[in-house]
Amino acid sequence: MRVNEPTEGRRRVSRRSLLIAGASGLGVAGLAAGTATGVVPFNQALQRALGVASSTPVTQLGSMRVERVYSHARGRQVDLVFLLPSKKPPAGLPMSLMLHGLHGSARTAAPSGLLKQLGSDVARKAVPAYGYVAVDGGDNYWHQVRPGDDPMAMLLEEVPQWLRARGFGGADGTPFACSGVSMGGFGALLYGRRRVERRQPPAAIAAIAPALITSWQEMAKRRIFTGMTDWTSLDPLRHLTALQGIPTAVYCGTEDSFITGVRRYIAETHPAIGYTAHGKHSDTFFRTTVPSLVGFLGKHLPKKA
Protein backbone atom coordinates (compact mmCIF):
# COMPACT_ATOMS: atom_id res chain seq x y z
CA MET A 1 0.00 0.00 0.00
CA ARG A 2 1.32 3.46 -0.78
CA VAL A 3 0.66 7.00 0.22
CA ASN A 4 0.22 9.12 -2.89
CA GLU A 5 3.03 11.61 -3.18
CA PRO A 6 2.80 15.42 -3.46
CA THR A 7 0.82 16.69 -6.43
CA GLU A 8 0.90 20.42 -7.22
CA GLY A 9 2.13 21.25 -3.74
CA ARG A 10 -0.43 19.12 -1.93
CA ARG A 11 -0.12 15.50 -0.85
CA ARG A 12 -3.16 13.35 -1.35
CA VAL A 13 -3.39 10.32 0.90
CA SER A 14 -5.45 7.32 -0.12
CA ARG A 15 -7.93 5.87 2.33
CA ARG A 16 -6.29 2.45 2.11
CA SER A 17 -2.90 3.95 2.93
CA LEU A 18 -4.32 5.67 5.96
CA LEU A 19 -5.76 2.38 7.10
CA ILE A 20 -2.37 0.72 6.72
CA ALA A 21 -0.62 3.48 8.63
CA GLY A 22 -3.07 3.28 11.49
CA ALA A 23 -4.24 -0.31 11.31
CA SER A 24 -2.65 -1.28 14.57
CA GLY A 25 -2.87 2.15 16.17
CA LEU A 26 -5.03 2.89 19.17
CA GLY A 27 -8.72 3.39 18.70
CA VAL A 28 -9.05 6.68 20.58
CA ALA A 29 -6.84 9.75 20.67
CA GLY A 30 -6.38 9.63 24.41
CA LEU A 31 -5.11 6.09 24.38
CA ALA A 32 -2.75 6.98 21.54
CA ALA A 33 -1.37 9.79 23.65
CA GLY A 34 -0.99 7.40 26.56
CA THR A 35 0.98 5.02 24.41
CA ALA A 36 3.53 7.73 23.68
CA THR A 37 4.25 8.16 27.38
CA GLY A 38 3.79 4.57 28.54
CA VAL A 39 0.87 5.50 30.81
CA VAL A 40 -2.81 5.01 30.04
CA PRO A 41 -4.49 8.21 31.36
CA PHE A 42 -7.94 6.76 32.07
CA ASN A 43 -9.89 5.59 35.10
CA GLN A 44 -9.88 1.91 36.06
CA ALA A 45 -13.33 1.20 34.62
CA LEU A 46 -12.27 2.39 31.18
CA GLN A 47 -8.95 0.56 31.49
CA ARG A 48 -10.85 -2.67 32.20
CA ALA A 49 -13.01 -2.06 29.13
CA LEU A 50 -9.87 -1.63 27.04
CA GLY A 51 -8.27 -4.72 28.52
CA VAL A 52 -5.37 -2.94 30.22
CA ALA A 53 -6.62 -2.70 33.79
CA SER A 54 -4.29 -3.08 36.76
CA SER A 55 -4.39 -2.62 40.52
CA THR A 56 -3.16 0.97 40.12
CA PRO A 57 -4.84 3.99 38.51
CA VAL A 58 -2.52 3.84 35.52
CA THR A 59 -0.88 1.03 33.60
CA GLN A 60 2.80 0.96 32.65
CA LEU A 61 3.23 -0.59 29.23
CA GLY A 62 6.13 -2.68 28.01
CA SER A 63 9.35 -3.83 29.63
CA MET A 64 12.96 -3.49 28.48
CA ARG A 65 15.77 -5.78 29.63
CA VAL A 66 19.46 -5.39 28.82
CA GLU A 67 22.14 -8.06 29.27
CA ARG A 68 25.78 -8.45 28.25
CA VAL A 69 26.69 -11.69 26.53
CA TYR A 70 29.77 -12.97 24.75
CA SER A 71 29.37 -13.56 21.02
CA HIS A 72 31.81 -16.13 19.66
CA ALA A 73 30.73 -15.19 16.13
CA ARG A 74 31.73 -11.56 16.74
CA GLY A 75 34.60 -12.27 19.14
CA ARG A 76 33.40 -9.75 21.73
CA GLN A 77 30.87 -8.86 24.39
CA VAL A 78 27.63 -7.44 23.01
CA ASP A 79 24.45 -5.97 24.43
CA LEU A 80 21.40 -8.21 24.23
CA VAL A 81 18.25 -6.09 24.53
CA PHE A 82 14.74 -7.44 25.01
CA LEU A 83 11.64 -5.36 24.30
CA LEU A 84 8.79 -7.22 25.96
CA PRO A 85 5.06 -6.49 26.14
CA SER A 86 5.02 -6.79 29.94
CA LYS A 87 7.28 -7.47 32.91
CA LYS A 88 6.07 -11.06 33.09
CA PRO A 89 5.62 -12.28 29.50
CA PRO A 90 4.35 -15.81 28.86
CA ALA A 91 6.82 -18.68 28.55
CA GLY A 92 8.01 -19.29 25.01
CA LEU A 93 7.14 -15.73 23.94
CA PRO A 94 7.62 -15.42 20.15
CA MET A 95 10.37 -12.95 19.29
CA SER A 96 11.26 -10.82 16.29
CA LEU A 97 14.76 -9.52 15.68
CA MET A 98 15.15 -5.73 15.58
CA LEU A 99 18.34 -4.76 13.73
CA HIS A 100 19.96 -1.38 14.29
CA GLY A 101 21.26 1.06 11.70
CA LEU A 102 24.74 2.37 10.88
CA HIS A 103 26.51 3.74 13.97
CA GLY A 104 23.68 2.35 16.10
CA SER A 105 23.48 -0.29 18.78
CA ALA A 106 21.08 -2.76 20.34
CA ARG A 107 19.94 -0.11 22.81
CA THR A 108 19.02 2.32 20.03
CA ALA A 109 17.75 -0.18 17.46
CA ALA A 110 14.01 0.39 17.85
CA PRO A 111 12.26 3.52 16.60
CA SER A 112 10.66 5.72 19.26
CA GLY A 113 7.42 4.43 20.72
CA LEU A 114 7.87 0.79 19.74
CA LEU A 115 7.98 -0.57 23.29
CA LYS A 116 4.90 1.32 24.41
CA GLN A 117 2.98 0.48 21.23
CA LEU A 118 3.80 -3.19 21.68
CA GLY A 119 2.76 -3.18 25.33
CA SER A 120 -0.48 -1.37 24.60
CA ASP A 121 -1.47 -3.49 21.61
CA VAL A 122 -0.80 -6.73 23.47
CA ALA A 123 -2.58 -5.53 26.60
CA ARG A 124 -5.73 -4.65 24.70
CA LYS A 125 -5.45 -7.85 22.64
CA ALA A 126 -5.04 -6.05 19.33
CA VAL A 127 -2.14 -8.45 18.63
CA PRO A 128 -1.03 -11.69 20.30
CA ALA A 129 1.85 -11.40 22.76
CA TYR A 130 5.29 -11.22 21.22
CA GLY A 131 8.54 -9.32 21.73
CA TYR A 132 11.64 -7.96 20.04
CA VAL A 133 15.30 -8.76 20.59
CA ALA A 134 18.16 -6.51 19.51
CA VAL A 135 21.89 -7.14 19.59
CA ASP A 136 25.02 -5.14 18.75
CA GLY A 137 25.99 -5.90 15.16
CA GLY A 138 28.63 -3.28 14.38
CA ASP A 139 28.71 -1.09 11.26
CA ASN A 140 29.19 -3.84 8.70
CA TYR A 141 25.76 -4.20 7.06
CA TRP A 142 25.15 -7.39 9.04
CA HIS A 143 27.72 -9.50 7.23
CA GLN A 144 31.32 -10.53 7.87
CA VAL A 145 33.76 -7.80 6.89
CA ARG A 146 36.77 -8.95 8.92
CA PRO A 147 37.72 -12.49 9.97
CA GLY A 148 36.37 -13.32 13.40
CA ASP A 149 33.52 -10.79 13.29
CA ASP A 150 30.42 -12.27 11.66
CA PRO A 151 27.18 -10.62 12.83
CA MET A 152 25.00 -12.70 10.51
CA ALA A 153 26.36 -15.90 12.07
CA MET A 154 25.54 -14.38 15.45
CA LEU A 155 21.93 -13.83 14.35
CA LEU A 156 21.54 -17.26 12.83
CA GLU A 157 23.44 -19.39 15.33
CA GLU A 158 23.76 -17.60 18.67
CA VAL A 159 20.60 -15.54 19.06
CA PRO A 160 18.35 -18.65 19.04
CA GLN A 161 20.52 -20.16 21.80
CA TRP A 162 20.31 -16.99 23.88
CA LEU A 163 16.55 -16.81 23.44
CA ARG A 164 15.97 -20.47 24.25
CA ALA A 165 18.10 -20.22 27.40
CA ARG A 166 15.87 -17.37 28.62
CA GLY A 167 12.57 -19.05 27.82
CA PHE A 168 11.82 -17.04 24.67
CA GLY A 169 11.12 -18.06 21.10
CA GLY A 170 9.58 -21.46 21.64
CA ALA A 171 11.33 -24.82 21.70
CA ASP A 172 14.33 -23.86 19.56
CA GLY A 173 14.47 -20.12 20.26
CA THR A 174 14.40 -19.16 16.58
CA PRO A 175 12.97 -15.66 15.95
CA PHE A 176 9.73 -15.88 14.00
CA ALA A 177 10.46 -12.61 12.17
CA CYS A 178 13.06 -9.93 11.58
CA SER A 179 12.72 -6.17 11.40
CA GLY A 180 15.24 -3.37 11.11
CA VAL A 181 15.88 0.29 10.41
CA SER A 182 18.19 1.73 7.72
CA MET A 183 21.27 -0.55 7.63
CA GLY A 184 19.17 -2.81 9.83
CA GLY A 185 16.48 -2.84 7.15
CA PHE A 186 19.09 -4.01 4.65
CA GLY A 187 20.12 -6.60 7.25
CA ALA A 188 16.53 -7.75 7.78
CA LEU A 189 16.08 -8.44 4.06
CA LEU A 190 19.43 -10.26 3.98
CA TYR A 191 18.58 -12.25 7.12
CA GLY A 192 15.32 -13.37 5.54
CA ARG A 193 17.25 -14.59 2.50
CA ARG A 194 19.72 -16.53 4.67
CA ARG A 195 16.84 -18.18 6.53
CA VAL A 196 15.26 -19.21 3.22
CA GLU A 197 18.57 -20.70 2.10
CA ARG A 198 18.55 -22.79 5.29
CA ARG A 199 15.00 -23.90 4.56
CA GLN A 200 13.89 -22.13 7.72
CA PRO A 201 12.00 -19.15 6.27
CA PRO A 202 10.82 -16.52 8.75
CA ALA A 203 7.10 -15.84 9.07
CA ALA A 204 7.54 -12.15 8.18
CA ILE A 205 10.11 -9.45 7.42
CA ALA A 206 9.79 -5.70 8.00
CA ALA A 207 12.23 -3.01 6.86
CA ILE A 208 12.02 0.67 7.76
CA ALA A 209 13.95 2.93 5.36
CA PRO A 210 16.24 0.06 4.31
CA ALA A 211 19.64 1.20 3.01
CA LEU A 212 19.03 0.15 -0.59
CA ILE A 213 21.72 2.10 -2.40
CA THR A 214 21.56 1.95 -6.18
CA SER A 215 25.18 2.59 -7.19
CA TRP A 216 28.50 1.09 -6.19
CA GLN A 217 30.10 4.54 -6.24
CA GLU A 218 27.77 5.62 -3.43
CA MET A 219 28.01 2.38 -1.45
CA ALA A 220 31.81 2.36 -1.74
CA LYS A 221 31.94 5.58 0.32
CA ARG A 222 30.91 3.53 3.36
CA ARG A 223 34.03 1.35 3.10
CA ILE A 224 32.08 -1.69 4.26
CA PHE A 225 32.32 -4.09 1.33
CA THR A 226 35.55 -5.47 -0.09
CA GLY A 227 34.41 -4.60 -3.58
CA MET A 228 31.46 -4.40 -5.92
CA THR A 229 31.17 -8.18 -6.12
CA ASP A 230 30.94 -8.46 -2.35
CA TRP A 231 28.17 -5.85 -2.29
CA THR A 232 26.14 -7.22 -5.20
CA SER A 233 26.24 -10.72 -3.70
CA LEU A 234 24.28 -9.35 -0.73
CA ASP A 235 22.29 -6.40 -2.12
CA PRO A 236 18.53 -7.10 -1.86
CA LEU A 237 17.94 -5.18 -5.10
CA ARG A 238 19.90 -7.89 -6.91
CA HIS A 239 18.06 -10.75 -5.22
CA LEU A 240 14.49 -9.64 -5.70
CA THR A 241 12.92 -13.11 -5.55
CA ALA A 242 14.74 -14.15 -2.38
CA LEU A 243 11.76 -13.49 -0.10
CA GLN A 244 9.07 -14.62 -2.49
CA GLY A 245 6.10 -15.94 -0.52
CA ILE A 246 7.22 -14.34 2.77
CA PRO A 247 4.96 -11.50 4.01
CA THR A 248 7.10 -8.36 3.86
CA ALA A 249 6.56 -4.76 4.88
CA VAL A 250 8.73 -1.90 3.60
CA TYR A 251 8.43 1.72 4.75
CA CYS A 252 10.31 4.84 3.60
CA GLY A 253 10.02 8.61 3.61
CA THR A 254 9.85 10.32 0.23
CA GLU A 255 12.64 12.72 1.21
CA ASP A 256 14.87 9.86 2.38
CA SER A 257 18.10 9.38 0.41
CA PHE A 258 17.21 5.69 0.06
CA ILE A 259 13.80 6.31 -1.53
CA THR A 260 14.94 5.50 -5.08
CA GLY A 261 16.12 2.03 -4.13
CA VAL A 262 13.10 1.44 -1.91
CA ARG A 263 10.69 2.44 -4.68
CA ARG A 264 12.43 0.02 -7.00
CA TYR A 265 12.22 -2.76 -4.42
CA ILE A 266 8.52 -2.13 -3.82
CA ALA A 267 7.75 -1.99 -7.56
CA GLU A 268 9.60 -5.24 -8.25
CA THR A 269 8.59 -7.35 -5.24
CA HIS A 270 5.07 -6.12 -4.40
CA PRO A 271 5.40 -6.49 -0.62
CA ALA A 272 2.34 -6.88 1.59
CA ILE A 273 2.97 -3.30 2.73
CA GLY A 274 4.91 -0.85 0.59
CA TYR A 275 4.43 2.44 2.42
CA THR A 276 5.90 5.77 1.36
CA ALA A 277 4.98 9.15 2.79
CA HIS A 278 6.50 12.57 3.40
CA GLY A 279 9.52 12.24 5.64
CA LYS A 280 13.29 12.21 5.88
CA HIS A 281 15.71 9.56 7.12
CA SER A 282 15.11 10.23 10.79
CA ASP A 283 13.20 9.01 13.80
CA THR A 284 10.55 11.61 13.07
CA PHE A 285 9.45 9.43 10.15
CA PHE A 286 10.50 6.07 11.59
CA ARG A 287 8.23 6.39 14.60
CA THR A 288 5.19 7.01 12.40
CA THR A 289 5.54 3.46 11.08
CA VAL A 290 5.48 1.86 14.53
CA PRO A 291 1.72 1.15 14.80
CA SER A 292 1.71 -0.55 11.40
CA LEU A 293 4.94 -2.46 12.16
CA VAL A 294 3.66 -3.86 15.45
CA GLY A 295 0.34 -4.85 13.89
CA PHE A 296 1.92 -6.35 10.77
CA LEU A 297 4.30 -8.65 12.64
CA GLY A 298 1.55 -9.46 15.14
CA LYS A 299 -0.55 -10.91 12.32
CA HIS A 300 2.19 -13.36 11.37
CA LEU A 301 3.02 -15.06 14.65
CA PRO A 302 3.40 -18.83 14.33
CA LYS A 303 0.24 -20.75 15.09
CA LYS A 304 0.30 -22.66 18.33
CA ALA A 305 0.46 -26.43 17.99
Side-chain angles (χ1 to χ4, degrees):
M1 315 297 174
R2 299 174 182 79
V3 170
N4 294 328
E5 294 176 23
T7 300
E8 299 178 354
R10 297 181 63 186
R11 180 165 58 90
R12 296 178 299 167
V13 182
S14 72
R15 180 175 179 273
R16 294 181 68 189
S17 294
L18 285 173
L19 290 173
I20 285 293
S24 61
L26 302 174
V28 293
L31 188 52
T35 300
T37 62
V39 176
V40 180
F42 300 127
N43 62 38
Q44 287 180 292
L46 184 51
Q47 287 186 46
R48 284 193 294 273
L50 292 169
V52 296
S54 74
S55 59
T56 61
V58 294
T59 301
Q60 290 292 333
L61 303 173
S63 176
M64 179 177 175
R65 302 180 190 174
V66 181
E67 298 182 32
R68 291 287 286 176
V69 294
Y70 185 79
S71 168
H72 292 280
R74 296 209 62 212
R76 69 192 68 196
Q77 293 279 333
V78 297
D79 277 347
L80 183 65
V81 176
F82 300 96
L83 303 178
L84 307 172
S86 63
K87 290 184 177 180
K88 295 183 179 180
L93 183 73
M95 300 292 286
S96 170
L97 287 166
M98 173 57 74
L99 306 185
H100 65 74
L102 194 67
H103 309 311
S105 68
R107 294 173 187 251
T108 63
S112 295
L114 179 68
L115 183 61
K116 301 304 186 288
Q117 186 76 49
L118 175 68
S120 172
D121 282 4
V122 171
R124 67 191 185 92
K125 303 186 186 304
V127 297
Y130 76 97
Y132 293 85
V133 59
V135 65
D136 295 333
D139 292 334
N140 41 34
Y141 277 68
W142 297 96
H143 82 299
Q144 180 172 304
V145 176
R146 291 168 291 277
D149 186 0
D150 190 342
M152 185 56 66
M154 173 181 64
L155 298 180
L156 293 169
E157 304 291 346
E158 296 181 307
V159 169
Q161 297 176 27
W162 296 334
L163 291 178
R164 185 175 63 248
R166 290 156 180 79
F168 297 133
D172 62 2
T174 301
F176 78 94
C178 184
S179 52
V181 179
S182 192
M183 182 189 78
F186 179 106
L189 298 173
L190 177 59
Y191 173 83
R193 176 181 157 202
R194 294 295 186 235
R195 286 277 298 271
V196 169
E197 291 168 351
R198 290 174 164 232
R199 299 184 179 180
Q200 299 175 328
I205 294 291
I208 300 173
L212 300 180
I213 294 173
T214 56
S215 75
W216 170 240
Q217 289 77 12
E218 183 62 30
M219 179 57 85
K221 295 177 183 178
R222 287 153 175 79
R223 298 181 180 180
I224 298 297
F225 298 91
T226 58
M228 186 173 180
T229 300
D230 184 30
W231 170 53
T232 56
S233 71
L234 302 174
D235 180 19
L237 286 172
R238 288 165 173 77
H239 301 273
L240 292 167
T241 63
L243 303 183
Q244 191 169 13
I246 297 174
T248 303
V250 181
Y251 309 85
C252 193
T254 52
E255 285 66 53
D256 193 307
S257 61
F258 300 140
I259 187 62
T260 299
V262 171
R263 282 189 175 125
R264 183 184 301 176
Y265 189 87
I266 290 172
E268 294 288 341
T269 65
H270 307 290
I273 296 176
Y275 178 83
T276 62
H278 177 74
K280 297 180 180 180
H281 195 80
S282 71
D283 190 62
T284 301
F285 174 79
F286 302 159
R287 65 191 181 200
T288 68
T289 71
V290 165
S292 178
L293 172 70
V294 172
F296 173 74
L297 294 184
K299 293 177 182 177
H300 296 287
L301 268 72
K303 291 182 170 58
K304 295 181 180 179

